[in-house]
Amino acid sequence: MKRLKILVTAALFFISPNLLYAGISKVILGIGGIGAALYLLSIYLKLTKQPSIHLYASFTDSDGNQVLAGNEDGKIQLLIRNEGDGAAFKVSLTISIPEKEYKDIISYQEFWSVDKIGGHEAREIDIPIKAKGELPRGEFTIKINCSYYSRADGKEKYTEPIEIPISAAPSAGMVKVAFKNISSEGLPSWIIPTVLEYADYQVSYANNEVTILNLNTGERKIKKVASITEAQNYVKDFFLSWDKSPPQIILSSSGGTVNAENVKLFLRLSDDRKLEEMKVYLNEKLFKTEKFTEQTETERELQIPLIMGDNTIRIFLTDWVDKSSEKEIIFTRIRGGSGTYVAGTLPKGEPPPELIVSASPIDGNNTIVGGKEEGIRVSVQNRGRGIAKWVRVILEGDDYLARLWGKERNLEDIKPGETKTATFSILMPTELTRKEAKINVVVREGRGYSPTEIPSLKFILIPAEIVERAEEIIEDVDNDIPLSKTKRERGYALVIGLSRYLNIPAPKYSKNDAEAFSKYISRVFGIANARTIYDENATLGIIKGYLVDWLKTRRGFKIIYFAGHGVPDPENPLEGDVYLLPYDGNPELKSTLLGLREIATLCANPDDTVLLFLDACFSGAEGRTVQLAQRPIVVAKIPESNAITFAAAEGNQPSKEFEKTQHGYFTYYTLLGLKGRADSNNDGWITTAELYRFVKEKVSEATNNVQVPVLRPEREIRIVKLR
């Protein structure tokens, strides 16, 4: 009976928490136990805790410029945070776009089920969106509603809906520009600031000189200016000069008197670059609006209802740089007659172009090999009698190749008889996924005279072949380490090896490398004062602590060795510093990384000699490096600093692991050189230059030049005396 009372009372929760509260005293009396009462009370308190869901969101697109262009992918990064004490159940999201003109041309999933989120817990969700074809220039809104249930009262609850405004633009006609030391202020809306990797142009300002570089053709314009204001005016004039004339409106009639209920009027609309929008007013009221996406010339037919007397038709046309034209025409309707009056025919227009397209691999070979310059060359010839306007070459098909090579090239206008060429290529990453890939070459002309043929190329991707030469593996670098004549009383070393990371996969042999190098610190470099930190102990705080609190407080000869992941600058991969990734670092957050330029500053005094050995790389592609969310194609070079830096590879190359030795290639040949193989003149001394020449030659040869070590600066000092 007592057990039954407990079960019945606990079940009351599912009917009403208030009934549960009322039943607690009965249970206490029924079972006579304080412990049971407290137990039931704890269940009651737990089940009556309320959840409180809040939404936080941001938008990002594939090229990172915060503008969703035609055919582009993007995503909403949504954080759902339960700021209440109780769990939220059956959490669901409803996604919508209120703007009618965008609703049907943006692809997205309307409903999302998230299930349960506990008290004070959070859930991150990426909601993909995609432009289905071209987009009109403007702005639309992603609206997110969220509902959930609480066990406390069993009722459905709703959050405050959030709205994420997103700028939209057509891909045609928009120009992506990377700005350096100069702003985009005052430029027309068809200029989209973007990162250098995705830009068509780079505009930079330095030393009273402004440079405009066409990244598609390599054409460069340089202008001496007296101020940043003059520089910005020059940039504005440069881009606005692309469109020299306002748009044109040609009508099939000049108006007149008609005795019909309707009039059919024909229009030809054109621009020397690109049309934007047409508005038609009838008797001062807006009659028709139309936006254009990729056209420089088009024809339209207007069916206009007439009232008795004068009917004023006004046509207002703008182009993509906001130049405008206006025409007004009056039809006077008199009594009698019905039906539709045809207001003449349009005069003959400009003769059309005829575009012929051909495409081929740049090396004539359909095999794409890692580590080689690969790509395609596209030729577009105009065999027609008219000019081809706003010609663009677009790569479709395999997204990986199109992203690496760049998806689009702008060939501008092509005159009759003229041929223009677009080249898509890049130095391919060495470790490609072996697969087949197809690229379709689409050519679009601004007036709609696009060629019907679409060349298609098939490729086979294969990784670079790295041949490990067995004859080079002639010594065991982990044992029989020589005892050199070098003794450094004022020598200090910090050795760091990471074969484990907190949140990402780690290189296999980094700790092996560091442990082996630490033996050479004492026996070969003659340094007794050394510290070693591995894996979970190699956090950013601990590494900086050793650099500042231990090395900086001592003066003399210092060595820092690091084996682990490198990272390109997450904010500026092309020109920024390169970074080492500590155990607890986040590759996307610069403040959690250790910059190469920073290391010598943290640990060195003015009269110190600092050697920095890095078995890491910074390409963001493969090897001992970490790929960023948007992987850079090219990254900064290894910078010079106050330390003499031996690095395993240049910024855009991998640092690879030598399976047969269970070391990195760089560390293996560095240790082999320190055993005596680097003493090229047999004088008993090993210098920085000798060690570098030996390591560079051996690593380059062993990896078929995929990995080429670096020494910066190329100073020569004696570092080891073996005999």
Side-chain angles (χ1 to χ4, degrees), residues 2 21 30 73 103 116 121 232 236 271 274 285 344 475 487 518 548 550 579 596 598 623 678 708 718:
K2 294 178 182 178
Y21 178 74
D73 294 316
K103 186 172 183 177
K116 175 187 173 184
E121 290 183 355
Q232 287 187 285
K236 182 178 179 180
D271 186 62
K274 181 176 168 298
K285 292 184 178 179
E475 278 194 59
K487 298 295 178 187
S518 66
V548 175
W550 185 62
Y579 292 82
L596 253 62
E598 182 184 14
V708 181
R718 291 177 169 181

Short mmCIF file of all heavy atoms in Angstrom, two decimals, residues 2 21 30 73 103 116 121 232 236 271 274 285 344 475 487 518 548 550 579 596 598 623 678 708 718:
data_model
loop_
_atom_site.label_atom_id
_atom_site.label_comp_id
_atom_site.label_asym_id
_atom_site.label_seq_id
_atom_site.Cartn_x
_atom_site.Cartn_y
_atom_site.Cartn_z
N LYS A 2 1.92 1.27 0.84
CA LYS A 2 2.81 2.44 0.89
C LYS A 2 3.47 2.69 -0.47
O LYS A 2 3.58 3.82 -0.94
CB LYS A 2 3.88 2.25 1.97
CG LYS A 2 3.32 2.22 3.37
CD LYS A 2 4.43 1.97 4.39
CE LYS A 2 3.88 1.88 5.80
NZ LYS A 2 4.94 1.59 6.78
N TYR A 21 2.18 18.61 -5.48
CA TYR A 21 2.48 19.33 -4.24
C TYR A 21 1.46 18.99 -3.16
O TYR A 21 1.79 18.74 -2.01
CB TYR A 21 2.49 20.83 -4.52
CG TYR A 21 2.74 21.66 -3.28
CD1 TYR A 21 4.02 21.73 -2.74
CD2 TYR A 21 1.70 22.36 -2.66
CE1 TYR A 21 4.27 22.48 -1.61
CE2 TYR A 21 1.94 23.10 -1.54
CZ TYR A 21 3.23 23.16 -1.01
OH TYR A 21 3.46 23.90 0.12
N GLY A 30 1.69 8.72 4.82
CA GLY A 30 1.46 7.33 4.44
C GLY A 30 2.67 6.46 4.67
O GLY A 30 2.55 5.31 5.07
N ASP A 73 26.59 30.01 -51.84
CA ASP A 73 26.19 29.33 -50.61
C ASP A 73 26.46 30.23 -49.40
O ASP A 73 27.42 31.00 -49.39
CB ASP A 73 26.97 28.03 -50.42
CG ASP A 73 26.64 27.00 -51.49
OD1 ASP A 73 25.45 26.84 -51.79
OD2 ASP A 73 27.57 26.37 -52.03
N LYS A 103 11.76 35.09 -51.47
CA LYS A 103 11.32 33.84 -50.83
C LYS A 103 11.53 32.61 -51.70
O LYS A 103 11.97 31.56 -51.23
CB LYS A 103 9.85 33.97 -50.44
CG LYS A 103 9.33 32.78 -49.64
CD LYS A 103 7.93 33.04 -49.11
CE LYS A 103 7.47 31.88 -48.25
NZ LYS A 103 6.14 32.12 -47.67
N LYS A 116 15.98 18.00 -27.11
CA LYS A 116 16.11 18.48 -25.73
C LYS A 116 17.37 19.32 -25.54
O LYS A 116 18.43 19.02 -26.07
CB LYS A 116 16.16 17.28 -24.78
CG LYS A 116 16.42 17.64 -23.32
CD LYS A 116 16.62 16.39 -22.48
CE LYS A 116 17.06 16.73 -21.07
NZ LYS A 116 17.35 15.54 -20.26
N GLU A 121 22.38 24.86 -20.73
CA GLU A 121 23.13 24.26 -21.83
C GLU A 121 22.87 25.05 -23.11
O GLU A 121 21.94 25.86 -23.18
CB GLU A 121 22.73 22.80 -22.04
CG GLU A 121 23.18 21.87 -20.92
CD GLU A 121 22.83 20.42 -21.21
OE1 GLU A 121 22.16 20.16 -22.24
OE2 GLU A 121 23.23 19.54 -20.41
N GLN A 232 41.34 58.09 -52.59
CA GLN A 232 39.99 57.55 -52.66
C GLN A 232 39.22 58.12 -53.86
O GLN A 232 38.44 57.42 -54.50
CB GLN A 232 39.25 57.80 -51.36
CG GLN A 232 39.76 56.91 -50.23
CD GLN A 232 38.94 57.01 -48.96
OE1 GLN A 232 39.04 57.99 -48.25
NE2 GLN A 232 38.15 56.01 -48.69
N LYS A 236 37.58 55.96 -56.90
CA LYS A 236 36.17 56.14 -57.27
C LYS A 236 36.05 56.46 -58.76
O LYS A 236 35.22 55.87 -59.46
CB LYS A 236 35.57 57.26 -56.42
CG LYS A 236 34.10 57.50 -56.68
CD LYS A 236 33.57 58.59 -55.76
CE LYS A 236 32.09 58.85 -56.03
NZ LYS A 236 31.56 59.91 -55.13
N ASP A 271 22.44 49.44 -72.36
CA ASP A 271 23.44 50.17 -71.60
C ASP A 271 24.81 49.69 -72.04
O ASP A 271 24.96 48.55 -72.51
CB ASP A 271 23.26 49.94 -70.09
CG ASP A 271 24.20 50.80 -69.27
OD1 ASP A 271 24.09 52.03 -69.35
OD2 ASP A 271 25.05 50.24 -68.56
N LYS A 274 25.61 47.52 -68.05
CA LYS A 274 24.62 46.61 -67.47
C LYS A 274 23.40 47.39 -67.00
O LYS A 274 23.51 48.42 -66.34
CB LYS A 274 25.24 45.85 -66.30
CG LYS A 274 24.33 44.86 -65.62
CD LYS A 274 25.12 44.12 -64.57
CE LYS A 274 24.22 43.31 -63.66
NZ LYS A 274 23.27 44.12 -62.90
N LYS A 285 1.03 57.42 -61.92
CA LYS A 285 0.96 56.29 -61.00
C LYS A 285 1.87 55.17 -61.50
O LYS A 285 1.95 54.93 -62.72
CB LYS A 285 -0.47 55.77 -60.88
CG LYS A 285 -1.41 56.74 -60.17
CD LYS A 285 -2.79 56.12 -60.00
CE LYS A 285 -3.73 57.08 -59.25
NZ LYS A 285 -5.09 56.51 -59.09
N GLY A 344 3.46 50.96 -83.74
CA GLY A 344 4.65 50.85 -84.57
C GLY A 344 5.56 49.69 -84.20
O GLY A 344 5.25 48.87 -83.34
N GLU A 475 71.51 5.84 -40.84
CA GLU A 475 71.89 5.99 -39.44
C GLU A 475 70.67 6.09 -38.56
O GLU A 475 69.64 6.64 -38.95
CB GLU A 475 72.75 7.25 -39.25
CG GLU A 475 74.21 7.05 -39.59
CD GLU A 475 75.05 8.21 -39.07
OE1 GLU A 475 75.04 8.43 -37.84
OE2 GLU A 475 75.70 8.86 -39.90
N LYS A 487 80.65 23.27 -24.87
CA LYS A 487 80.13 23.41 -23.52
C LYS A 487 79.60 24.84 -23.36
O LYS A 487 80.32 25.81 -23.61
CB LYS A 487 81.21 23.15 -22.46
CG LYS A 487 81.79 21.74 -22.51
CD LYS A 487 80.74 20.70 -22.17
CE LYS A 487 81.33 19.29 -22.28
NZ LYS A 487 80.28 18.25 -22.12
N SER A 518 65.80 16.68 -27.62
CA SER A 518 66.23 17.05 -26.27
C SER A 518 67.54 16.34 -25.88
O SER A 518 68.35 16.87 -25.12
CB SER A 518 65.13 16.72 -25.25
OG SER A 518 64.93 15.32 -25.16
N VAL A 548 58.84 33.80 -21.00
CA VAL A 548 58.97 35.09 -20.31
C VAL A 548 59.64 34.94 -18.95
O VAL A 548 60.59 35.67 -18.62
CB VAL A 548 57.57 35.74 -20.16
CG1 VAL A 548 57.66 37.03 -19.33
CG2 VAL A 548 56.95 36.02 -21.52
N TRP A 550 61.23 32.29 -17.55
CA TRP A 550 62.46 31.51 -17.43
C TRP A 550 63.53 31.99 -18.42
O TRP A 550 64.59 32.46 -18.00
CB TRP A 550 62.16 30.02 -17.64
CG TRP A 550 63.36 29.15 -17.40
CD1 TRP A 550 64.06 28.99 -16.24
CD2 TRP A 550 64.02 28.33 -18.37
NE1 TRP A 550 65.11 28.12 -16.41
CE2 TRP A 550 65.11 27.69 -17.71
CE3 TRP A 550 63.79 28.06 -19.71
CZ2 TRP A 550 65.97 26.82 -18.38
CZ3 TRP A 550 64.63 27.18 -20.37
CH2 TRP A 550 65.72 26.57 -19.71
N TYR A 579 51.76 31.09 -37.16
CA TYR A 579 51.56 30.81 -35.74
C TYR A 579 51.80 29.34 -35.40
O TYR A 579 51.60 28.45 -36.23
CB TYR A 579 50.13 31.19 -35.33
CG TYR A 579 49.88 32.67 -35.37
CD1 TYR A 579 49.58 33.30 -36.56
CD2 TYR A 579 49.98 33.43 -34.21
CE1 TYR A 579 49.37 34.68 -36.61
CE2 TYR A 579 49.77 34.80 -34.24
CZ TYR A 579 49.47 35.42 -35.44
OH TYR A 579 49.28 36.77 -35.48
N LEU A 596 55.21 33.61 -34.63
CA LEU A 596 56.66 33.44 -34.74
C LEU A 596 57.40 34.72 -34.38
O LEU A 596 58.44 34.68 -33.72
CB LEU A 596 57.02 33.01 -36.18
CG LEU A 596 57.45 31.55 -36.31
CD1 LEU A 596 56.32 30.65 -35.89
CD2 LEU A 596 57.87 31.24 -37.74
N GLU A 598 56.55 36.85 -32.33
CA GLU A 598 56.38 37.10 -30.90
C GLU A 598 57.39 36.32 -30.06
O GLU A 598 57.77 36.76 -28.97
CB GLU A 598 54.95 36.70 -30.52
CG GLU A 598 54.56 36.93 -29.09
CD GLU A 598 53.15 36.43 -28.79
OE1 GLU A 598 52.59 35.68 -29.61
OE2 GLU A 598 52.64 36.77 -27.72
N GLY A 623 49.86 18.09 -43.84
CA GLY A 623 51.08 17.96 -43.03
C GLY A 623 50.86 18.47 -41.62
O GLY A 623 49.77 18.37 -41.06
N ALA A 678 76.60 17.18 -41.46
CA ALA A 678 76.51 18.54 -41.99
C ALA A 678 77.85 19.26 -42.04
O ALA A 678 77.94 20.35 -42.61
CB ALA A 678 75.52 19.35 -41.16
N VAL A 708 60.53 22.11 -48.81
CA VAL A 708 61.85 22.74 -48.88
C VAL A 708 62.05 23.56 -47.60
O VAL A 708 61.37 24.56 -47.39
CB VAL A 708 61.98 23.64 -50.12
CG1 VAL A 708 63.37 24.26 -50.17
CG2 VAL A 708 61.69 22.87 -51.40
N ARG A 718 78.87 29.65 -35.74
CA ARG A 718 79.24 28.31 -35.30
C ARG A 718 78.32 27.88 -34.16
O ARG A 718 78.12 28.62 -33.19
CB ARG A 718 80.69 28.29 -34.82
CG ARG A 718 81.70 28.48 -35.94
CD ARG A 718 83.10 28.52 -35.39
NE ARG A 718 84.11 28.45 -36.44
CZ ARG A 718 85.42 28.44 -36.23
NH1 ARG A 718 85.87 28.49 -34.97
NH2 ARG A 718 86.25 28.38 -37.23
#
